[in-house]
């Protein structure tokens, strides 16, 4: 909508791990990337950001010195995995939505099964594990105008 970008990620994972280290990508986590303007630059600029949502962690982290102001999310266990619902304000993304607007977008899932370093990573679009420093690996999303009902306040986020 005109205020938020909503993201839903349904992860199948038979072992959920957060061993509390400072490197959130080494635990079970979802990374969500945006390239506002879809410039596909090979280095991060002011319009690019990566947010990481780690399993069993109430904090969202961001790269590129970007704020996390107003981001709300819920991550809940399900049989055989977990589900992430996130609501990210356009004001935090420093963007303004428009019908037919293109933006760089990527979702990647980190998997840690043994409490050590990350064991696996799955990406929606990227073919190499370098989106965290190279926004050109993001896919492209198109905002379309649809009539819909926003989630109610009684929802998970």
């Amino acid at each position: 909508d005109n205020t938020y970008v909503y993201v839903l990620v349904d992860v199948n994972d038979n072992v959920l791990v957060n061993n509390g280290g400072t490197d959130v990508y080494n635990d079970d986590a979802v990374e969500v990337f945006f390239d506002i303007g879809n410039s596909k630059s090979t280095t991060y600029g002011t319009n690019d950001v990566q947010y990481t949502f780690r399993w069993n962690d109430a904090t969202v982290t961001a790269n590129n010195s970007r704020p996390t102001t107003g981001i709300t999310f819920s991550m809940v266990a399900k049989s055989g995995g977990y589900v992430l619902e996130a609501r990210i304000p356009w004001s935090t993304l420093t963007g303004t939505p428009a019908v037919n607007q293109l933006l760089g977008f990527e979702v990647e899932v980190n998997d840690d099964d043994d409490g050590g370093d990350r064991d696996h990573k799955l990406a929606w679009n990227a073919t190499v594990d370098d989106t965290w420093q190279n926004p050109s690996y993001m896919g492209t999303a198109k905002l379309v105008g649809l009539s819909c009902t926003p989630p109610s306040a009684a929802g998970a986020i």
Side-chain angles (χ1 to χ4, degrees), residues 14-151:
N14 61 343
V15 179
L16 303 181
V17 175
N18 173 349
N19 58 341
T22 57
D23 297 330
V24 296
Y25 56 84
N26 277 325
D27 291 328
D28 290 331
V30 174
E31 300 172 344
V32 181
F33 302 82
F34 293 93
D35 172 9
I36 303 302
N38 199 38
S39 62
K40 296 292 192 261
S41 175
T42 58
T43 58
Y44 270 72
T46 58
N47 65 326
D48 306 309
V49 65
Q50 169 194 5
Y51 296 112
T52 304
F53 303 87
R54 176 169 51 178
W55 167 250
N56 201 26
D57 189 338
T59 304
V60 58
T61 59
N63 74 344
N64 203 22
S65 301
R66 294 293 294 274
T68 58
T69 307
I71 296 175
T72 57
F73 71 96
S74 174
M75 189 177 279
V76 296
K78 66 169 191 158
S79 178
Y82 61 94
V83 176
L84 166 71
E85 292 182 48
R87 183 175 71 178
I88 304 167
W90 280 103
S91 58
T92 299
L93 289 169
T94 63
T96 304
V99 173
N100 295 322
Q101 175 182 347
L102 300 178
L103 59 133
F105 182 74
E106 176 68 296
V107 174
E108 299 182 1
V109 177
N110 299 309
D111 180 35
D112 177 20
D113 288 337
D114 59 11
D117 289 344
R118 175 180 61 210
D119 298 309
H120 304 95
K121 188 167 190 174
L122 180 66
W124 169 68
N125 183 77
T127 56
V128 297
D129 181 18
D130 206 30
T131 310
W132 62 276
Q133 64 182 0
N134 184 339
S136 72
Y137 289 113
M138 293 182 206
T140 301
K142 182 178 182 179
L143 302 179
V144 296
L146 297 174
S147 296
C148 65
T149 303

